[in-house]
Amino acid sequence: MGLGLSLTPHFLKSRMQEFPVRQLTQGPKSHWFGYYDKWQVDPSGRHVLGMEVDIPMRSPTEKDIIKIGMVDLQDNDRWTEIGESNAWGWQQGCMLQWIPGSQEEVIWNDQEDGQFVSRVLNVKTGKQRTLSKAIYALSQDGRYAVGTEFNRIQNMRPGYGYPGIPDPYADQRAPQDIGIYRMNLQTGESELIFSLAQAADIPYQGKSLKDKWHYFNHLLVSPDNKRFIFLHRWREAPVNSPDTVNRGFTTRMFTINMDGSDPYMLDPSGNTSHFIWRDPEHICAWTQPEGKLAAFYLFKDQTDEIQIVGPDKMVENGHNTYVPNTNNEWILNDTYPHRDPGRRQTLYLYHVPTDRKVVLGKFFEPQHFNGEWRCDLHPRSNQQGTQVIFDSTHQNNQRQMYMVDIGEIIA
């Protein structure tokens, strides 16, 4: 029996504030990784990807270049620059990540000749190639990427798309020529598989969406590479429109086959937020289904089966993942600072079988880190499930990357 199955209240109390935190990057420049649902650490557990920037806290422009680099955990956390990008945002960076299954190749988004593209780099040989489209998420076999138009996202939700290339369909509510595409990671060949017009044709709670402004966000491929999630979002008007009616957005979650067939509206509530695949059939997501409390729920794909997760322990929205190699027993998560009187972001583990929560630490975020350039912890596990890496501003009022060892806990 692993240590995680025998945690006692005494153990939790004694360890709650005792987990050492290792700072991986140093100033004067800022470093971070961004989103939580991709591989930051290579399969060996040695090299940690990150981004470096020295611009102040403001929205990036197409002229602002970030540096791509790796931290070597076995060489005094040495930072090595390996590339650069001018297609990025504060929340999700440039989609930098290790290609699943690869010991040598990393990928990130960039701009070239008026197009968003992706770069694939072999970190051992230095050989780089460019693919025709930007990526959003990768299949777990490393063969395909799925993506959507980042200029459309930037037009509808600044900070989650990229600046510099205008949305050519900015005057259309639901274009039929853009949407979700699939791209071959070897050849760069891509095809549109599900359009915004197709999504807009599906009524929302019995009402037409034809008069709304539509975009896609947050794609994620299932562990068996057969389906992927996407969020369909819409607004009453584009963000920069003179129309001041309701600038918020509504969200519903779909799953769909990798070829764009058989879309299924898994969460029709309009409230879907962060999510993760637990296994090929189940998705854990923060939402508020009709008539229920806002919470994390476990959905069974292509059914109406749903059950609450951690109702007394995971009570706030956060960036949730399942820790690898724990049989999906451990969930890694964080919180936002605005609900804490001291503006602290909590990093924690939740053990599903025993309903136990282990707080790894609480990290202060200064007030001016807010809006588009806030710094969420966005915790990520290494591929072994023994270490957690996160972004934080709790030291020296600066965005840097940190690591906590969780091997003793998940044992």
Side-chain angles (χ1 to χ4, degrees), residues 125-372:
T125 67
K127 184 177 180 180
Q128 180 175 293
R129 54 195 174 90
T130 299
L131 302 179
S132 60
K133 304 281 280 187
I135 62 156
Y136 208 110
L138 305 182
S139 62
Q140 296 304 303
D141 58 9
R143 296 176 59 198
Y144 292 97
V146 288
T148 189
E149 304 300 339
F150 284 91
N151 46 14
R152 182 71 178 191
I153 299 175
Q154 186 70 4
N155 187 29
M156 294 294 171
R157 195 185 183 193
Y160 283 79
Y162 305 140
I165 301 175
D167 175 10
Y169 300 92
D171 61 346
Q172 296 185 34
R173 288 176 167 82
Q176 63 180 359
D177 294 329
I178 60 170
I180 295 170
Y181 51 81
R182 182 182 64 175
M183 179 173 64
N184 186 305
L185 287 178
Q186 291 303 315
T187 67
E189 295 177 353
S190 65
E191 59 178 329
L192 180 67
I193 58 173
F194 194 76
S195 71
L196 285 169
Q198 286 175 278
D201 281 341
I202 302 172
Y204 171 62
Q205 299 181 355
K207 298 179 181 179
S208 172
L209 295 173
K210 294 298 182 66
D211 62 336
K212 312 303 181 187
W213 293 80
H214 300 262
Y215 65 108
F216 294 134
N217 219 177
H218 299 306
L219 286 62
L220 192 61
V221 181
S222 66
D224 64 357
N225 307 305
K226 292 182 178 179
R227 291 175 69 79
F228 66 91
I229 297 167
F230 66 88
L231 298 186
H232 172 214
R233 287 179 163 162
W234 61 90
R235 293 179 174 274
E236 297 295 329
V239 173
N240 296 318
S241 167
D243 185 350
T244 58
V245 177
N246 183 15
R247 294 299 177 85
F249 55 80
T250 306
T251 305
R252 56 185 180 180
M253 177 169 63
F254 283 81
T255 63
I256 192 169
N257 286 337
M258 286 296 290
D259 64 359
S261 64
D262 198 16
Y264 184 86
M265 193 192 312
L266 190 60
D267 181 16
S269 68
N271 301 310
T272 317
S273 185
H274 303 107
F275 57 82
I276 199 73
W277 288 94
R278 189 191 74 174
D279 54 55
E281 291 187 331
H282 296 90
I283 294 152
C284 182
W286 178 272
T287 187
Q288 185 171 9
E290 186 175 358
K292 297 180 182 292
L293 295 173
F296 282 100
Y297 289 89
L298 190 67
F299 293 81
K300 185 174 183 180
D301 192 19
Q302 295 181 285
T303 75
D304 58 3
E305 294 182 28
I306 181 175
Q307 63 186 78
I308 198 167
V309 178
D312 300 319
K313 303 296 193 303
M314 301 209 310
V315 297
E316 297 181 40
N317 191 5
H319 305 93
N320 59 310
T321 56
Y322 286 88
V323 179
N325 300 313
T326 64
N327 197 32
N328 296 321
E329 291 186 357
W330 287 97
I331 295 174
L332 173 64
N333 210 347
D334 64 353
T335 65
Y336 287 99
H338 61 272
R339 296 190 62 175
D340 182 273
R343 282 192 59 82
R344 295 173 302 172
Q345 302 172 94
T346 300
L347 177 69
Y348 69 92
L349 292 166
Y350 173 70
H351 191 236
V352 179
T354 59
D355 187 36
R356 298 186 187 276
K357 182 176 180 177
V358 182
V359 174
L360 301 175
K362 296 185 178 183
F363 304 94
F364 171 69
E365 181 174 63
Q367 182 70 45
H368 58 273
F369 284 93
N370 56 40
E372 182 183 329

